[in-house]
Amino acid sequence: MAVLLLLLFSSLALSLPNLSSSKIYTSLSKGSSLTIQDVLISSPNPTFSAGFLNVGGNAYSFAIWFTEPLNGNFTTVWMANRDQPVNGKHTKFSLQNSGNLLLTDAGQINIWTSNTKSNSSVQLEFYENGNLVLSTSEGENLWQSFDFPTNTLLPDQLFTRNTILVSSRSKTNHSSGFYKLYFDGDGILRLRYEGPEITSVYWPDTWITTANAGRTYSNGSKIAVLDSSGYFQSSDLLQFYTSDYGFGPQRRLVLDYDGNLRVYSLDKQSGSWQVTWQHSSEPCRIHGICGANSLCINDPDVGRRCTCLPGYKMKNQTDWSYGCEPDFQLTCNDKSRSGFLQLLHVEFYGFDLSFFPNITFEACKNVCLNYCGCKGIQYRFSLDFGYYNCYPKNILFNGYRSLNFPDPIFIRLPKVNLSTVENPNEDFNLQCNDVITPLDRTYKRKNQDWMKSFIWCTLAVGSFEIICMLAYLLKTRRHSNSGIHCYLQVATGFRKFSYAELKKASRNFSQEIGRGGGGVVYAGILSDNRFAAIKCLKEAIQGEAEFLAEISTICRLNHMNLIEMWGYCAEGKHRLLVYEYMENGNLAISLYCNKLNWRKRFEIALGTARGLAYLHEECLEWVLHCDVKPQNILLDSNYQPKVADFSLSKLLKRSGIESTNFSKIRGTRGYMAPEWIFNLPITSKVDVYSYGIVVLQMITGWGSFGNHANDNSIVMEPRGLVTWVKENIKGPDIGRISRIKGIVDPSMNGDFDMRRMEILVEVALKCVEEDKDARPTMRQVVDMLLHQDSDDEFLITKSSLGDKTLLL
Ligand SMILES: *[C@@H]1O[C@H](CO)[C@@H](O)[C@H](O)[C@H]1NC(C)=O
Ligand SMILES: *[C@@H]1O[C@H](CO)[C@@H](O)[C@H](O)[C@H]1NC(C)=O
Ligand SMILES: *[C@@H]1O[C@H](CO)[C@@H](O)[C@H](O)[C@H]1NC(C)=O
Ligand SMILES: *[C@@H]1O[C@H](CO)[C@@H](O)[C@H](O)[C@H]1NC(C)=O
Ligand SMILES: *[C@@H]1O[C@H](CO)[C@@H](O)[C@H](O)[C@H]1NC(C)=O
Ligand SMILES: *[C@@H]1O[C@H](CO)[C@@H](O)[C@H](O)[C@H]1NC(C)=O
Ligand SMILES: *[C@@H]1O[C@H](CO)[C@@H](O)[C@H](O)[C@H]1NC(C)=O
Ligand SMILES: *[C@@H]1O[C@H](CO)[C@@H](O)[C@H](O)[C@H]1NC(C)=O
Ligand SMILES: *[C@@H]1O[C@H](CO)[C@@H](O)[C@H](O)[C@H]1NC(C)=O
Ligand SMILES: *[C@@H]1O[C@H](CO)[C@@H](O)[C@H](O)[C@H]1NC(C)=O
């Protein structure tokens, strides 16, 4: 016992009161009580302890925690009085003679009670699984802590119709927060945000049916449990395995203060809790996180960020959950005084006043202006019906800004204030003039620069994101640590750079041109006067050996339509990649800026197809790109396309391609093939599909970027484009030419080769077939486009014959 006391003393002293006068109990019987110094344990070497835990200042809560502290902090699993901490002095947790458990503080006020009663002898016992149980000598179970969880479920603790998990208020404040996990009336396990003003369910996603979310109210029971092997099962058929599935590690399922439901497993080696499952990897999809009238932005480097909408100001300077409030006066009776501000790539989930299908943008604006409570509108193209729908909003809540949202939102502001709002889309603004002019401006840190950089990253400079290749590369790691042997070294001048050299080339890393999960990209001029893009990978991403193994694979990919890597640097903790600089930015910007004539477009389509065909078939290993989109097609000074950013790619053995399962959806909404959605085998045809969408965008000029200066150019979801194109060109051969003319980007002013255009349309539509087997391979695409090329002269003469359908 002495040894035990010593052990407890040394491990608990940090946040428990002075323990030298404490007692250790293994159970409580009627009439006895615990004071602030006392601890209840289950066994001589207990996993859990129960007692009073300091929650700040002189405030204590009666709690259960993991006995072993991590970094001096205790991990709590349960609290009796999380919302009403007690004073440190004269506080007691007692088992009354009536059989009731009672927590009283100094003023003899009853803080918490178990509301139990029994005439027979009663014991409070603590079990090794963390359950605190009050039972009679006859074995009747009167009360147990497992029936009243706070924010944590332990293995084998049943979650039932009567239990809810409530998140903590913040990382340091244990009192009840805004997020709840509960069984809904229909038997589905849901997560709900219950904020000061607004309540909304955010898991499973409410826009998909519960059946599509893989849930169903199978039978009358509402029950869920995480077992000790890390398998979670619920009566609504939700189930998952933790990433470290198997018996052994201690685990806990926690509804975290940020609204994410996570399983943590204790990693004994590092002495820390590791997340081994979480319900969402997109923190901005969790509702209420930034309050009303604000935007949530997910920065790969910093994590989640909140910002007020233009014209709004933060309500409570220290707490985002209160959101933002208007910093303007809206005069409702005078419609002419309010206007709309367009915000790109923003979605506000829910709180629609109404829904108006197939109406014009003008009419949609009028609907909003006529209703005083209307705060803004979402005007969105419907894929299913092929027209625009209008959603006036009475609350701007769950605002999320992401390039994955093609649609803009229009917020209502007084006209006097509209003019004073400075560049609401600054971060997302694409300036056509100086898209990329090397080294013309120096990097200066502003509050929101990270945002701009984030966008630049996606927009301007593609990069080889190499982390994802690790799985494959670890297998092929056969290169020595000392350097790497690239057989293209001589041909391409591939070499190792010193850190000092790159620092100088990039002027002390002063001009940032991109930023992504893997690191920051800077512009630079090498000693031989070549413009280069220099990517600094995040520190500690990987060891030198892995890094070099990856480089040696990347440098073997060599094709004129793939971005070229010139070298690398691995010095100390620095990991840098050097690759060619693309003067003309990417296809998305060029389309948006109307820089592309017909010839350029055709060449980009062909070059991109060649690059992808090389990746799929010609190079040493199979490479799926998995994220083909205009932003990842860079253009050189001659507008030759170079495919970039293999961030989501995976190198696969040629033979294994058909049988390989991808565990997670990759790619960008709108460009993703149906296989991702329907969980079918992923093959090179997913890239063919995305390629088809890109080509359709080039033909029609429908970029994913709306011109915010012009209300009429509402952006269209890429997949909607397929439907639209098919609708518009279907019909008899007679008049086909004029129908095709009807879909072509008006900014080409009709200046294009009709027969090639026909082929391009044909090829693109084949590429976007729902059935992957009906799609051509990239090699076949190249052939179809090239075949046309070789007959160029023939075609020019023939095309003068007039409208004639061309068969492939
Ligand atoms: C703990 O209590 C003992 C006696 O009750 C006292 O002598 C000692 O100074 C206290 N230690 C601290 C750190 O308060
Ligand atoms: C305990 O947790 C707090 C808050 O999360 C943290 O700041 C601190 O570094 C941790 N460790 C110690 C020894 O307090
Ligand atoms: C407990 O004892 C009291 C008085 O002796 C009696 O009135 C009460 O009914 C008993 N309750 C139970 C549950 O036996
Ligand atoms: C914790 O949050 C609650 C609810 O917002 C608040 O009343 C309380 O003062 C907070 N406690 C601390 C220590 O900040
Ligand atoms: C409902 O399903 C659960 C788990 O699938 C099962 O354990 C339970 O017995 C079922 N209940 C009824 C009433 O069928
Ligand atoms: C909106 O305009 C009014 C009147 O000019 C002004 O008082 C207010 O500060 C403005 N609000 C913002 C956010 O600019
Ligand atoms: C802001 O929120 C904090 C924490 O919830 C609270 O303590 C504080 O009083 C609030 N401030 C204002 C001005 O409402
Ligand atoms: C949408 O509205 C337009 C103009 O009112 C009309 O011509 C068209 O038929 C409508 N589309 C559908 C699918 O109802
Ligand atoms: C880079 O920084 C060093 C000092 O860290 C300074 O001496 C040098 O002038 C800087 N170079 C440029 C181009 O700013
Ligand atoms: C792919 O995964 C699914 C479900 O996880 C599985 O049923 C199927 O057998 C897997 N296919 C291959 C080829 O491994």
Side-chain angles (χ1 to χ4, degrees), residues 325-370:
E325 58 192 2
D327 192 15
F328 54 80
Q329 292 279 315
L330 205 57
T331 39
C332 280
N333 44 15
D334 191 353
K335 280 167 51 175
S336 64
R337 291 221 198 138
S338 39
F340 292 90
L341 182 71
Q342 182 176 17
L343 300 177
L344 296 175
H345 306 293
V346 166
E347 184 169 273
F348 285 97
Y349 176 74
F351 305 102
D352 302 329
L353 272 167
S354 184
F355 159 63
F356 300 87
N358 196 16
I359 68 171
T360 65
F361 185 55
E362 270 320 299
C364 182
K365 285 202 284 195
N366 269 322
V367 165
C368 186
L369 290 176
N370 282 326

XYZ file of all heavy atoms in Angstrom, residues 325-370:
376
model
N -22.159 39.894 -36.472
C -23.409 40.651 -36.567
C -23.243 41.764 -37.591
O -22.129 42.206 -37.858
C -23.794 41.218 -35.197
C -22.716 42.109 -34.601
C -22.975 42.437 -33.141
O -23.975 41.945 -32.595
O -22.184 43.192 -32.566
N -24.376 42.232 -38.156
C -24.283 43.250 -39.206
C -23.646 44.526 -38.672
O -23.909 44.931 -37.536
C -25.743 43.508 -39.595
C -26.523 42.368 -39.066
C -25.768 41.838 -37.901
N -22.836 45.116 -39.491
C -22.233 46.407 -39.169
C -22.848 47.449 -40.104
O -22.176 48.323 -40.614
C -20.707 46.307 -39.376
C -19.975 47.495 -38.795
O -20.583 48.242 -38.009
O -18.808 47.689 -39.152
N -24.154 47.274 -40.362
C -24.835 48.186 -41.286
C -26.320 48.195 -40.954
O -26.811 47.353 -40.208
C -24.636 47.738 -42.732
C -25.025 46.310 -42.981
C -26.364 45.961 -43.156
C -24.068 45.302 -43.019
C -26.740 44.642 -43.362
C -24.447 43.979 -43.226
C -25.777 43.656 -43.398
N -27.021 49.168 -41.495
C -28.462 49.280 -41.318
C -29.130 48.943 -42.636
O -28.825 49.546 -43.664
C -28.834 50.720 -40.934
C -28.357 51.119 -39.552
C -29.292 50.598 -38.488
O -30.503 50.715 -38.625
N -28.735 50.001 -37.440
N -30.033 47.971 -42.613
C -30.713 47.611 -43.842
C -32.106 48.247 -43.824
O -32.865 48.059 -42.885
C -30.826 46.084 -43.915
C -30.952 45.465 -45.286
C -29.785 45.860 -46.170
C -31.008 43.952 -45.163
N -32.397 49.040 -44.863
C -33.725 49.637 -44.940
C -34.600 48.757 -45.809
O -34.400 48.660 -47.007
C -33.655 51.058 -45.543
O -32.699 51.010 -46.586
C -33.278 52.074 -44.530
N -35.564 48.114 -45.148
C -36.331 47.103 -45.859
C -37.379 47.697 -46.780
O -37.706 47.120 -47.809
C -37.016 46.186 -44.862
S -35.886 44.967 -44.221
N -37.926 48.860 -46.384
C -39.033 49.387 -47.183
C -38.572 50.031 -48.486
O -39.390 50.377 -49.324
C -39.870 50.367 -46.356
C -38.988 51.314 -45.575
O -37.797 51.411 -45.873
N -39.547 51.989 -44.587
N -37.300 50.184 -48.636
C -36.806 50.793 -49.875
C -35.860 49.822 -50.579
O -34.672 49.766 -50.303
C -36.073 52.104 -49.552
C -35.791 52.887 -50.815
O -36.054 52.344 -51.923
O -35.299 54.017 -50.696
N -36.474 49.064 -51.505
C -35.707 48.027 -52.191
C -34.492 48.562 -52.926
O -33.470 47.899 -53.047
C -36.610 47.311 -53.213
C -37.507 46.292 -52.602
C -38.602 45.836 -53.559
C -38.086 45.414 -54.916
N -39.165 44.870 -55.753
N -34.646 49.790 -53.394
C -33.579 50.334 -54.238
C -32.312 50.580 -53.427
O -31.260 50.858 -53.970
C -34.040 51.630 -54.878
O -34.275 52.580 -53.863
N -32.441 50.499 -52.106
C -31.256 50.794 -51.288
C -30.402 49.574 -50.991
O -29.342 49.692 -50.408
C -31.687 51.439 -49.966
C -32.238 52.817 -50.185
C -31.767 53.755 -49.119
N -32.620 54.930 -49.089
C -33.047 55.492 -47.970
N -32.693 54.984 -46.811
N -33.809 56.545 -48.020
N -30.921 48.386 -51.293
C -30.016 47.253 -51.051
C -29.589 46.567 -52.340
O -30.284 46.616 -53.348
C -30.567 46.246 -50.048
O -31.926 46.033 -50.205
N -28.431 45.988 -52.263
C -27.865 45.308 -53.419
C -27.226 44.005 -52.984
O -27.360 43.590 -51.829
N -26.533 43.379 -53.902
C -25.954 42.079 -53.594
C -24.453 42.053 -53.866
O -23.976 42.661 -54.816
C -26.639 40.989 -54.423
C -28.054 40.764 -54.019
C -29.080 41.481 -54.626
C -28.362 39.877 -53.004
C -30.388 41.295 -54.234
C -29.670 39.683 -52.616
C -30.687 40.406 -53.229
N -23.785 41.356 -53.029
C -22.345 41.199 -53.174
C -22.075 39.725 -53.454
O -22.530 38.853 -52.718
C -21.657 41.607 -51.869
C -20.144 41.542 -51.849
C -19.560 42.648 -52.708
C -19.637 41.679 -50.422
N -21.342 39.470 -54.516
C -21.079 38.073 -54.870
C -19.833 37.558 -54.161
O -18.775 38.182 -54.194
C -20.895 37.942 -56.380
C -20.658 36.498 -56.795
C -20.559 36.328 -58.295
O -20.356 37.280 -59.029
N -20.697 35.105 -58.751
N -19.968 36.425 -53.523
C -18.815 35.770 -52.900
C -18.600 34.446 -53.607
O -19.518 33.633 -53.702
C -19.075 35.526 -51.418
C -19.337 36.759 -50.568
C -19.657 36.345 -49.140
C -18.132 37.685 -50.581
N -17.395 34.248 -54.085
C -17.119 33.055 -54.878
C -16.840 31.847 -53.990
O -16.292 31.988 -52.898
C -15.906 33.295 -55.771
C -16.072 34.377 -56.822
C -14.769 34.598 -57.556
C -17.178 34.038 -57.791
N -17.218 30.694 -54.502
C -16.880 29.409 -53.877
C -17.327 29.331 -52.426
O -16.570 28.944 -51.544
C -15.365 29.177 -53.948
C -14.837 29.292 -55.335
N -15.165 28.396 -56.313
C -14.049 30.217 -55.911
C -14.582 28.757 -57.422
N -13.910 29.853 -57.220
N -18.561 29.755 -52.210
C -19.074 29.754 -50.847
C -20.377 28.988 -50.802
O -21.169 29.038 -51.732
C -19.306 31.204 -50.363
C -20.143 31.211 -49.093
C -17.983 31.895 -50.116
N -20.568 28.265 -49.732
C -21.835 27.592 -49.532
C -22.317 27.890 -48.116
O -21.539 27.869 -47.171
C -21.629 26.081 -49.714
C -22.905 25.291 -49.626
C -22.705 23.850 -50.082
O -22.830 23.607 -51.298
O -22.408 22.997 -49.246
N -23.619 28.209 -48.020
C -24.241 28.308 -46.703
C -25.243 27.190 -46.623
O -26.203 27.148 -47.390
C -24.944 29.651 -46.522
C -24.000 30.779 -46.283
C -23.601 31.597 -47.318
C -23.493 31.017 -45.020
C -22.711 32.621 -47.103
C -22.608 32.045 -44.800
C -22.211 32.847 -45.839
N -25.009 26.279 -45.741
C -25.873 25.125 -45.703
C -27.143 25.432 -44.902
O -27.075 25.913 -43.771
C -25.139 23.923 -45.095
C -26.058 22.754 -44.968
C -26.424 22.038 -46.100
C -26.634 22.422 -43.752
C -27.323 21.004 -46.020
C -27.525 21.386 -43.662
C -27.871 20.685 -44.798
O -28.774 19.672 -44.709
N -28.290 25.130 -45.495
C -29.560 25.209 -44.779
C -30.146 26.610 -44.665
O -29.619 27.565 -45.218
N -31.260 26.698 -43.952
C -31.944 27.958 -43.655
C -32.413 28.701 -44.905
O -32.280 29.915 -45.016
C -31.076 28.844 -42.761
C -30.646 28.142 -41.512
C -29.361 27.630 -41.398
C -31.540 27.937 -40.472
C -28.979 26.933 -40.259
C -31.159 27.244 -39.345
C -29.882 26.745 -39.226
N -32.957 27.949 -45.853
C -33.555 28.575 -47.019
C -34.956 29.050 -46.645
O -35.707 28.346 -45.998
C -33.676 27.563 -48.168
C -32.330 26.972 -48.537
O -31.325 27.693 -48.387
O -32.285 25.810 -48.963
N -35.266 30.269 -47.075
C -36.607 30.795 -46.854
C -37.611 30.011 -47.674
O -38.735 29.767 -47.270
C -36.670 32.248 -47.321
C -36.300 33.317 -46.340
C -36.128 34.614 -47.068
C -37.389 33.433 -45.290
N -37.171 29.670 -48.884
C -38.061 29.017 -49.821
C -37.204 28.503 -50.967
O -35.980 28.565 -50.905
C -39.088 30.024 -50.315
O -39.995 29.369 -51.151
N -37.882 28.042 -51.997
C -37.149 27.464 -53.116
C -37.904 27.792 -54.397
O -39.098 27.551 -54.507
C -37.054 25.948 -52.891
C -36.787 25.150 -54.121
C -35.602 25.324 -54.829
C -37.713 24.229 -54.581
C -35.362 24.581 -55.964
C -37.470 23.488 -55.714
C -36.289 23.667 -56.406
N -37.218 28.410 -55.329
C -37.854 28.812 -56.579
C -37.127 28.175 -57.750
O -36.041 28.611 -58.109
C -37.834 30.339 -56.725
C -38.547 31.050 -55.620
C -37.884 31.374 -54.445
C -39.887 31.379 -55.738
C -38.538 32.016 -53.408
C -40.543 32.019 -54.703
C -39.873 32.339 -53.531
N -37.741 27.143 -58.349
C -37.068 26.487 -59.461
C -37.159 27.288 -60.754
O -38.139 28.023 -60.954
C -37.827 25.160 -59.584
C -39.171 25.425 -59.020
C -39.020 26.512 -58.006
N -36.142 27.127 -61.580
C -36.148 27.676 -62.939
C -36.582 29.132 -62.997
O -37.546 29.478 -63.688
C -37.074 26.794 -63.823
C -36.829 27.050 -65.295
O -35.808 27.635 -65.680
N -37.753 26.634 -66.142
N -35.935 29.994 -62.250
C -36.239 31.418 -62.429
C -34.950 32.166 -62.758
O -33.845 31.675 -62.515
C -36.941 32.066 -61.192
C -36.002 32.156 -59.984
C -38.217 31.315 -60.846
C -36.603 32.977 -58.860
N -35.119 33.341 -63.323
C -33.946 34.112 -63.740
C -33.265 34.699 -62.515
O -33.850 34.789 -61.432
C -34.340 35.264 -64.668
O -35.150 36.166 -63.909
C -35.096 34.759 -65.883
N -32.046 35.120 -62.715
C -31.294 35.708 -61.616
C -31.970 36.999 -61.129
O -32.043 37.255 -59.934
C -29.858 35.970 -62.072
C -28.971 36.457 -60.969
C -28.842 35.728 -59.801
C -28.267 37.642 -61.107
C -28.019 36.178 -58.775
C -27.447 38.086 -60.090
C -27.320 37.363 -58.923
N -32.489 37.778 -62.084
C -33.203 39.011 -61.720
C -34.378 38.694 -60.797
O -34.566 39.318 -59.761
C -33.730 39.725 -62.978
C -32.796 40.735 -63.609
C -32.039 41.591 -62.607
O -32.705 42.319 -61.823
O -30.796 41.541 -62.588
N -35.166 37.711 -61.224
C -36.348 37.341 -60.448
C -35.936 36.841 -59.068
O -36.583 37.148 -58.060
C -37.133 36.260 -61.184
N -34.844 36.118 -59.026
C -34.353 35.576 -57.759
C -33.966 36.712 -56.813
O -34.301 36.716 -55.637
C -33.166 34.655 -58.033
S -32.487 33.856 -56.574
N -33.283 37.704 -57.382
C -32.896 38.858 -56.558
C -34.135 39.580 -56.036
O -34.178 40.005 -54.881
C -32.039 39.836 -57.382
C -30.622 39.330 -57.594
C -29.654 40.454 -57.909
C -29.797 40.935 -59.330
N -28.637 41.757 -59.763
N -35.149 39.690 -56.895
C -36.369 40.368 -56.476
C -37.085 39.653 -55.345
O -37.607 40.289 -54.435
C -37.318 40.533 -57.675
C -37.065 41.864 -58.358
O -36.811 42.863 -57.683
N -37.095 41.864 -59.672
N -37.082 38.340 -55.428
C -37.693 37.550 -54.358
C -37.059 37.951 -53.031
O -37.727 38.191 -52.031
C -37.469 36.040 -54.611
C -37.758 35.244 -53.351
C -38.318 35.559 -55.753
N -35.737 38.061 -53.046
C -35.009 38.371 -51.814
C -35.271 39.807 -51.365
O -35.524 40.065 -50.190
C -33.520 38.131 -52.028
S -32.516 38.300 -50.544
N -35.263 40.730 -52.318
C -35.444 42.139 -51.964
C -36.826 42.394 -51.373
O -37.010 43.295 -50.564
C -35.254 43.028 -53.199
C -33.812 43.105 -53.723
C -33.754 43.926 -54.994
C -32.884 43.702 -52.681
N -37.797 41.581 -51.791
C -39.159 41.794 -51.320
C -39.408 41.262 -49.917
O -40.476 41.418 -49.372
C -40.151 41.135 -52.288
C -40.330 41.993 -53.513
O -40.292 43.224 -53.431
N -40.496 41.346 -54.657
